Amino acid sequence: MRRLSLPVICFSLALAASSCHHADPANATDPNQLSQNLVTIKASASTPPNGKLPKMIFPDSSFDFGKIISGQKVSHAFHFKNTGEGDLIISGASGSCGCTKPYYPKDVKHPGDTGTINVTFDSSNKAGKVVKTITVSSNSVPPYKVLTITADIQPSNN
C-alpha cells in the first residue's frame, strides 16, 4: 500500500506544479473587458457598455381562456413595454410543454417601445383545469419573465 501511494503523491504534486503559472501584470487584461469578450449572445450580456438597462413590463402576465372544448386551439397576446433606459432584446421564449407555442419579436425594442408575445395553446388530449407557463428570456432586469395561461378543458361531444 505504501509503495503505491508514494508514486501517486509524486505524480499529483508534479501535475499540480505544472498546471500553475504566474500572470504577467504587463499582459493583464481588464476583467470587465474579458467578461464582455466571452459573451457571444448579445441578449445574455449582464450590463451594456453604456450602463443603461432595459426593463420589460407586462401589464398582465396571466390569462384564463375559461372553458374550452378538448382539441380546440386558442391564442392570446401578452403585451409588454420596455420601460428601461436601454435597448431590449428578447433571446427566447419557451412553453412548459409542446402544447404551448410562444412567438416573440426578434427586433430590438428601444426604450418606450411596445411589443407582443403571442401564445397558442393546443388543448388536444387534455382534460380538466390546466395551467401552462411561458418563460421569456431577454437582456432586461430581471432577465426572465414567466407568463401563465389557464383553461378549463371540457370533453368534446364527438
Side-chain angles (χ1 to χ4, degrees):
M1 182 75 157
R2 281 186 137 157
R3 285 186 226 170
L4 180 61
S5 50
L6 184 58
V8 171
I9 291 171
C10 290
F11 177 74
S12 298
L13 289 173
L15 183 62
S18 68
S19 66
C20 293
H21 59 79
H22 298 285
D24 179 8
N27 293 329
T29 305
D30 176 14
N32 293 328
Q33 184 63 39
L34 178 63
S35 67
Q36 289 175 357
N37 289 340
L38 294 176
V39 175
T40 57
I41 301 173
K42 208 173 186 181
S44 68
S46 59
T47 305
N50 64 6
K52 295 181 179 180
L53 298 172
K55 188 171 185 179
M56 184 169 37
I57 300 294
F58 288 86
D60 296 308
S61 60
S62 63
F63 182 78
D64 184 0
F65 288 109
K67 290 183 180 183
I68 61 175
I69 303 300
S70 180
Q72 188 176 1
K73 287 184 182 180
V74 291
S75 297
H76 178 70
F78 287 98
H79 301 283
F80 66 88
K81 182 175 184 176
N82 178 5
T83 63
E85 297 178 343
D87 290 339
L88 174 67
I89 302 167
I90 299 174
S91 58
S94 60
S96 57
C97 74
C99 61
T100 307
K101 302 274 189 215
Y103 303 93
Y104 61 94
K106 309 286 193 271
D107 59 325
V108 173
K109 297 298 181 185
H110 303 290
D113 286 355
T114 59
T116 305
I117 306 289
N118 291 304
V119 178
T120 301
F121 171 68
D122 183 354
S123 66
S124 298
N125 302 315
K126 309 266 185 292
K129 293 194 181 243
V130 295
V131 177
K132 302 297 176 184
T133 60
I134 302 91
T135 303
V136 180
S137 55
S138 70
N139 65 333
S140 71
V141 177
Y144 299 101
K145 180 65 179 170
V146 177
L147 307 172
T148 306
I149 57 171
T150 56
D152 184 5
I153 304 172
Q154 306 294 307
S156 66
N157 292 334
N158 296 337

